[in-house]
Amino acid sequence: MIKNPRQRRALELIQKNAVSRSVLDERVGCANGPALVAELRKKGLDIPCKMFPVTDRDGKKTKVGIYWASESDKLKIAELLNGEA
């Protein structure tokens, strides 16, 4: 069971959509999405992340990470959110 409200919001979000780190931070209410994802991975979730090249508003090339729930994660997340794990 997930009692931490941030972790719960993150799981509910990732279960439904692939999200960027910035969207994760904004919707979950955290300042360090990668640390939050690391905590969730310690609970046995994969939560893959793929880095995509982008150009920021200043024309600098950088990368943005997109997180999503793997197929096995979706089952585990449902169990965690329903208190079965």
Side-chain angles (χ1 to χ4, degrees):
M1 172 177 258
I2 299 292
K3 293 183 181 181
N4 180 303
R6 279 191 183 157
Q7 290 180 355
R8 179 169 281 281
R9 288 190 299 268
L11 290 176
E12 289 169 348
L13 181 62
I14 291 171
Q15 185 180 37
K16 296 176 187 171
N17 305 294
V19 295
S20 67
R21 182 252 169 105
S22 61
V23 169
L24 181 69
D25 287 356
E26 179 183 319
R27 295 210 185 143
V28 170
C30 66
N32 190 347
L36 178 60
V37 169
E39 290 173 14
L40 295 170
R41 286 177 176 152
K42 288 179 185 176
K43 296 181 181 300
L45 298 167
D46 294 322
I47 309 178
C49 179
K50 184 168 183 178
M51 302 300 286
F52 292 93
V54 295
T55 303
D56 70 13
R57 71 173 79 183
D58 299 315
K60 184 177 177 182
K61 293 183 188 262
T62 188
K63 292 184 180 181
V64 62
I66 304 294
Y67 296 103
W68 69 92
S70 67
E71 287 305 312
S72 64
D73 281 345
K74 290 178 183 179
L75 293 172
K76 291 176 189 174
I77 290 170
E79 291 173 355
L80 288 168
L81 291 175
N82 294 320
E84 298 170 18

